[in-house]
Amino acid sequence: MEEEISFLFFSSFCDDVVEQILEKNKGISLVDKYEMTGEQWHGDKIEPYYVNDLCIYPPWNKPALNDQTIKEILLDPGVVFGTGRHQTTEDCLYLIHRLCTNHRIKSVLDIGTGTGLLSLGAAALDCKRVMACDFNHLAVKTTLNNIRLNGFEDRILAFQAKGEEIMSIPCDLLVANIHYDVMRHMIESPFLLEKKWFILSGLLNSETKKVLDSLSRKNVHIIERRCPDGIWNTLLGKTLC
């Protein structure tokens, strides 16, 4: 649901069901309808891919894995945005892998988790306490399903909340792959400086400039700015407190 607009998804033709909904709820109206495959909805085929030694694949298309060092992540995106192939998601997962491999990251707060991929990646990299948050209830349900698929119920907690309202939750690593309208409030929170590491993503070039300007006035160090496609930016930072 986005403000006053709700999206309904059906796996088969359902004109009669929609008519019943409209008849019983006189205050709503049908704006438009679309008929497409799951791949058309997500914009591409949902196929296995790798980020370092992480192999991400849908439950219906498991690749042949002969390398025992490969860490598997099952990802069923359902109808939620996030097959993992967006530039910001791949960059976040790459940086999560680097941090969890080279440092002791015990806890992660993943804000704007979507399908839960970044939380799943942290758990697969042996992070023991991961909190996956999204304001979209359907995203949280999708994340819960992926947590069960991977057997990470003991490591990942998924819940619904606004990102800017949960900044006080303590963690070693904050990951936020979200819209700038939310990001700008989060980085002004005094609790940002309580996070040892942070990854901020989902930012266009102009938005990144504003975020960097705000962070320049805080006791933090920006370690890396990734923008391989020239459009979407991801920042890796560390607090100096």
Side-chain angles (χ1 to χ4, degrees):
M1 182 173 181
E2 300 290 343
E3 296 180 348
E4 296 181 354
I5 298 176
S6 295
F7 295 86
L8 302 179
F9 296 90
F10 299 90
S11 59
S12 59
F13 294 106
C14 56
D15 289 350
D16 55 338
V17 176
V18 173
E19 287 297 328
Q20 292 176 20
I21 293 174
L22 294 175
E23 289 177 5
K24 294 179 180 179
N25 300 271
K26 300 301 182 182
I28 66 173
S29 60
L30 176 64
V31 177
D32 209 339
K33 69 175 182 178
Y34 305 90
E35 297 174 2
M36 61 183 73
T37 65
E39 290 182 352
Q40 288 173 329
W41 169 254
H42 287 290
D44 203 352
K45 290 184 178 181
I46 304 173
E47 297 181 325
Y49 69 99
Y50 290 83
V51 174
N52 292 323
D53 60 354
L54 297 174
C55 178
I56 301 96
Y57 62 89
W60 58 86
N61 188 7
K62 180 177 181 178
L65 300 173
N66 300 318
D67 188 342
Q68 297 295 324
T69 64
I70 296 297
K71 301 174 180 63
E72 302 178 33
I73 299 178
L74 281 76
L75 186 73
D76 185 350
V79 296
V80 175
F81 173 81
T83 62
R85 301 317 309 268
H86 192 274
Q87 187 64 60
T88 59
T89 309
E90 289 200 33
D91 285 341
C92 284
L93 195 55
Y94 173 84
L95 292 174
I96 289 171
H97 186 283
R98 183 202 296 179
L99 287 176
C100 289
T101 302
N102 297 321
H103 303 275
R104 191 176 184 185
I105 306 296
K106 296 181 180 179
S107 57
V108 174
L109 175 58
D110 174 19
I111 296 179
T113 193
T115 56
L117 176 57
L118 300 182
S119 290
L120 296 170
L125 292 164
D126 209 30
C127 182
K128 303 300 184 184
R129 186 166 67 93
V130 184
M131 294 150 285
C133 163
D134 205 294
F135 187 57
N136 186 313
H137 183 253
L138 183 57
V140 176
K141 290 183 65 175
T142 303
T143 295
L144 285 169
N145 180 58
N146 285 318
I147 291 171
R148 297 186 188 104
L149 284 175
N150 289 273
F152 286 148
E153 293 94 333
D154 62 332
R155 296 191 178 194
I156 306 176
L157 173 66
F159 59 97
Q160 183 182 21
K162 291 184 177 181
E164 61 270 34
E165 295 178 354
I166 61 168
M167 286 291 289
S168 61
I169 296 177
C171 64
D172 294 329
L173 169 62
L174 167 70
V175 182
N177 186 8
I178 54 175
H179 296 295
Y180 171 72
D181 287 342
V182 179
M183 181 78 74
R184 64 190 180 93
H185 296 295
M186 290 177 50
I187 60 176
E188 294 303 325
S189 168
F191 295 107
L192 174 66
L193 299 180
E194 295 183 1
K195 286 31 173 181
K196 185 175 182 179
W197 306 91
F198 58 84
I199 297 172
L200 308 179
S201 192
L203 301 166
L204 297 171
N205 291 323
S206 60
E207 297 167 343
T208 304
K209 183 178 180 181
K210 296 175 184 176
V211 169
L212 288 172
D213 180 63
S214 176
L215 293 176
S216 69
R217 298 188 292 271
K218 304 180 188 301
N219 199 19
V220 302
H221 171 56
I222 301 301
I223 299 172
E224 183 176 351
R225 174 182 179 179
R226 296 179 64 83
C227 186
D229 62 358
I231 301 173
W232 295 102
N233 291 257
T234 300
L235 303 174
L236 169 63
K238 182 177 183 180
T239 59
L240 301 176
C241 299

